[in-house]
Amino acid sequence: MSIGVPLLLRSLNPLAVAAGEDRPDAVTIDGVTLSRSDLLGAATSVAERIARAERVAVLARPSVTTVLAVVGCLIAGVTVVPVPPDSGSAELEYILGDSGAQAWLGEAPARTNLPVVPVRVHARSWHTYPEPEPGAPAFVLYTSGTTGPPKGVVLSRGAIAAGLDALADAWTWTANDVLVHGLPLFHVHGLILGVLGPLRVGSPLIHTGKPTPQAYADAAGTLYFGVPTVWSRIAEDAGAARQLADARLLVSGSAPLPVPVFERLRELTGHAPIERYGMSETMITLSTRADGERRPGWVGVPVAGVRTRICDESGEPVAHDGESIGGLQVRGPMVFDGYLDRAEATAECWTDDGWFKTGDVAAIGPDGFHRIVGRESVDLIKSGGYRIGAGEVENALLGHPDVAEVAVVGLPDADLGQRIVAFVVLRGAATDSIEKALIEQVAEQLSVHKRPREVRIVDALPRNAMGKVQKKLLS
Ligand code: MCA
Ligand code: AMP
C-alpha cells in the first residue's frame, strides 16, 4: 500500500522522504510495533488535536506515545519540548517556565498545572497539513551549560533535515537497514537521530528499552547506535558481542570511545565501529564514513555541508598536523538557531565571522581526520553519554541545609567515561546518612542521571590566591 505523503526533501515531516510502500514494522518500542501507515494515521490524529498550539512539552519516556506525540507535532508544525521522564521538581518547573510550553502532550507528571492533551494510539486521521517553512523551530532541547540551569537549544526543521540527510550519506543508511538502539528520547542522539532518522530514511526502528548487551544482540538489526558506555558493556560480553557480527554498522557517539573498547569490539564482532561527534547545538558534524577509514581515537571528517577549523586562544588558526590542538569551531546547515530567549549566551558561542565555538579541544590531521582531545571547561561532565553541568549539580547540593561549600567534578570512570563526584564541606558534623541524603536531593531536584555517584566530605576545598576553587586538584 502506498501512503500519500509528498516528497518534501528538505523539509521535516520525518515521514516525508521515505513515502512509498508501507512497512508493517516501522517502529517497535516498549513491546508495541506500528506500521508506517498506522504511525502516520495516529500521528496525524495527534496533529489535529494540537495544531493550534505553538509549543508543547512531551514527557519523553521510550514509548509509542512519545513517538506519536513528536511526529504529530512535526506534522502540525508545533514545537516540541522533550522533557526527561525522571526530571525532579526543580528541573520540571524550570523547563516548563523557561520554554513556555502550553500543554503536556501524551503523558504528564503526577502534579502539573498545565493542561494535558492525550495521545490516542488507535485514533487515525488522514488530514494533510501544509509543510511549515524550514526555518520554523522543531524542538527546544534542554542541555546543561557550565554554570546555572540548562539552556533551551532551538533546532529548526531545516537543520534537522540537513543533519539527518548528512548522516544517511556518511553511513549509506537506507530503507534496507534496521536501526537498533535503547537510548533516551530526550536528546539529539536517541530522539532525532534514533527516531526521526529511521522515519526519514524509511528504515525500521527497534528500540530495545534498557540498552543491555543481550537486548542489542537479540534485536538482530543492521545498524546500531550506542554511547561508549553501551559499547564498553557489549565489549565485556563476548557472547552478545559476537551476535553483532551480522550487523552492517556499529555507531558510537556522544562521548569518547576508549581505544581498547574499539579494538575489542572489532575483535569480537568483526566490525570497526563508526565514531561520530556532535552536540545538542550542532547535531552531528564529524563522522567516519561507511566507505572510509575508521581510526581508533579519531572521530573522522566533516559530514556533508560542514566546515571546521581549530583556533588558539587569540583566535588564530592552528596547523592541521594531527598534533597541534585548538578550540574546535564548526559551521553547517545543521547548527542550531540559538538558545531560547538568551541572546547574550547565544552571541557568546559564535565568532564575529560566524563560526560556532563548540567548547571542545581538537586536533586535525593533514588528511582532514579529527581527534577530540577534551573540553575547554572542567565544568561540563560527560557521564554515560549524558552532559551534566557541574554548576547545576552544585546549586542543587547547596540547597541542602547541611552543605556549606561544594565542588562537583567528573572523575575518570572505566564504564561511564566520567563519574560525577561531589566534594562537600558541611556546616556541622557529618551524620551517617548524609551522603545518601545529598545524592537523593539531586535526584529529587534535577534528575536521576545527574546524581553524584560519590559524595566525599572534606574539611575544605582547594582554592587559589583569588579564592577560586581549584577543581583540577580534586581527584
Ligand atoms: C546511578 N544509579 C545510582 C546512582 N547513579 N544509584 C545510586 N546513586 C547514584 N548516584 C543506579 C541507576 O539508577 C541504575 O539503577 C544503576 O545504578 C546502574 O546505573 P548506570 O550505571 O547509570 O547504568 P544505566 O542506568 O544502565 O545507564 C547507563 C546508560 C545511560 C544506559 C548508558 O547512561 C544512558 O542511557 N546514556 C545515554 C545518554 C545519551 O543518550 N546521551 C546523548 C546526549 P537501576 O539498574 O535500578 O535502573 S549527546 C547527544 O545527543 C549528541 C548530539 C551526540 O553526540 O549524540
Ligand atoms: P551533548 O550536547 O549532550 O550532545 O554533548 C556534546 C558534547 O559531547 C560535545 O561537546 C563533546 O564534548 C562530547 N562528545 C560528543 N560526541 C563525542 C565523541 N565522539 N568524542 C568525544 N566527545 C564527544
Side-chain angles (χ1 to χ4, degrees):
M1 174 188 141
S2 165
I3 46 180
V5 184
L7 277 170
L8 297 167
L9 274 164
R10 302 306 303 179
S11 68
L12 195 83
N13 176 341
L15 301 169
V17 172
E21 290 306 299
D22 192 9
R23 299 211 56 144
D25 54 354
V27 173
T28 302
I29 187 163
D30 199 21
V32 180
T33 298
L34 285 186
S35 71
R36 205 169 167 82
S37 59
D38 282 343
L39 177 59
L40 181 67
T44 306
S45 143
V46 171
E48 289 209 36
R49 304 173 134 246
I50 206 73
R52 291 214 186 93
E54 190 185 328
R55 207 176 283 160
V56 299
V58 173
L59 200 64
R61 225 179 281 291
S63 66
V64 164
T65 302
T66 297
V67 174
L68 292 178
V70 169
V71 176
C73 286
L74 291 171
I75 290 172
V78 175
T79 307
V80 182
V81 183
V83 179
D86 63 357
S87 289
S89 52
E91 187 165 290
L92 261 183
E93 194 182 335
Y94 171 78
I95 292 179
L96 295 180
D98 190 76
S99 68
Q102 295 151 308
W104 285 104
L105 178 57
E107 259 190 89
R111 281 181 299 279
T112 180
N113 296 326
L114 285 185
V116 182
V117 180
V119 163
R120 302 213 168 111
V121 178
H122 299 291
R124 298 287 179 271
S125 162
W126 306 106
H127 185 78
T128 53
Y129 285 83
E131 176 62 24
E133 48 104 15
F139 290 97
V140 180
L141 290 178
Y142 277 83
T143 195
S144 299
T146 51
T147 55
K151 298 188 283 274
V153 168
V154 182
L155 279 170
S156 71
R157 302 169 75 89
I160 291 169
L164 294 177
D165 292 348
L167 293 181
D169 167 66
W171 302 339
T172 53
W173 182 2
T174 70
N176 294 327
D177 278 307
V178 174
L179 174 67
V180 176
H181 72 86
L183 297 168
L185 300 194
F186 47 89
H187 284 308
V188 165
H189 197 165
L191 178 62
I192 299 184
L193 274 48
V195 174
L196 303 189
L199 293 179
R200 188 164 174 87
V201 168
S203 63
L205 163 66
I206 300 174
H207 190 282
T208 59
K210 204 170 155 60
T212 60
Q214 201 52 52
Y216 271 39
D218 291 343
T222 66
L223 176 61
Y224 283 80
F225 290 172
V227 295
T229 300
V230 168
W231 290 120
S232 98
R233 291 176 186 181
I234 290 174
E236 278 170 22
D237 186 335
R242 286 198 184 95
Q243 283 178 258
L244 300 182
D246 292 336
R248 187 177 69 81
L249 280 187
L250 312 181
V251 184
S252 176
S254 302
L257 183 68
V259 170
V261 176
F262 181 112
E263 300 291 10
R264 183 80 177 132
L265 278 177
R266 176 154 57 186
E267 195 183 306
L268 290 169
T269 66
H271 298 288
I274 289 274
E275 286 187 70
R276 92 299 178 285
Y277 157 89
M279 297 180 72
S280 306
E281 288 88 338
T282 64
M283 299 201 33
I284 307 309
T285 48
L286 297 167
S287 183
T288 50
R289 297 183 60 89
D291 58 2
E293 186 196 351
R294 305 178 204 162
R295 195 184 300 165
W298 295 72
V299 294
V301 296
V303 299
V306 170
R307 284 189 293 148
T308 61
R309 67 184 190 188
I310 43 176
C311 294
D312 65 17
E313 273 161 18
S314 55
E316 291 303 313
V318 168
H320 292 188
D321 56 14
E323 293 296 331
S324 308
I325 59 172
L328 177 66
Q329 301 179 2
V330 301
R331 323 180 64 126
M334 59 292 281
V335 174
F336 76 139
D337 289 328
Y339 298 111
L340 185 69
D341 297 333
R342 286 170 195 263
E344 210 174 306
T346 301
E348 277 170 18
C349 303
W350 265 276
T351 63
D352 291 343
D353 56 347
W355 292 74
F356 175 74
K357 297 187 273 183
T358 64
D360 288 304
V361 178
I364 305 180
D367 53 3
F369 254 59
H370 291 60
R371 182 164 57 92
I372 306 296
V373 177
R375 285 211 58 94
E376 279 165 4
S377 168
V378 291
D379 285 327
L380 266 192
I381 300 167
K382 266 272 158 160
S383 188
Y386 284 115
R387 166 170 156 182
I388 299 134
E392 198 187 347
V393 180
E394 286 162 0
N395 286 342
L397 291 169
L398 284 169
H400 192 283
D402 293 347
V403 173
E405 291 176 50
V406 60
V408 167
V409 293
L411 296 186
D413 186 282
D415 179 44
L416 299 165
Q418 289 184 302
R419 69 177 184 285
I420 309 174
V421 179
F423 291 81
V424 175
V425 180
L426 293 173
R427 291 188 191 283
T431 57
D432 282 349
S433 55
I434 186 68
E435 284 96 344
K436 199 161 171 277
L438 293 179
I439 290 170
E440 265 312 296
Q441 161 105 353
V442 175
E444 275 163 21
Q445 293 284 306
L446 304 178
S447 50
V448 166
H449 65 266
K450 293 179 181 168
R451 283 175 299 187
R453 299 274 158 165
E454 258 180 80
V455 171
R456 296 196 199 160
I457 306 297
V458 291
D459 292 334
L461 296 174
R463 290 181 186 271
N464 65 12
M466 313 286 289
K468 190 172 172 344
V469 175
Q470 303 289 85
K471 286 200 172 177
K472 293 211 163 111
L473 300 179
L474 294 169
S475 60

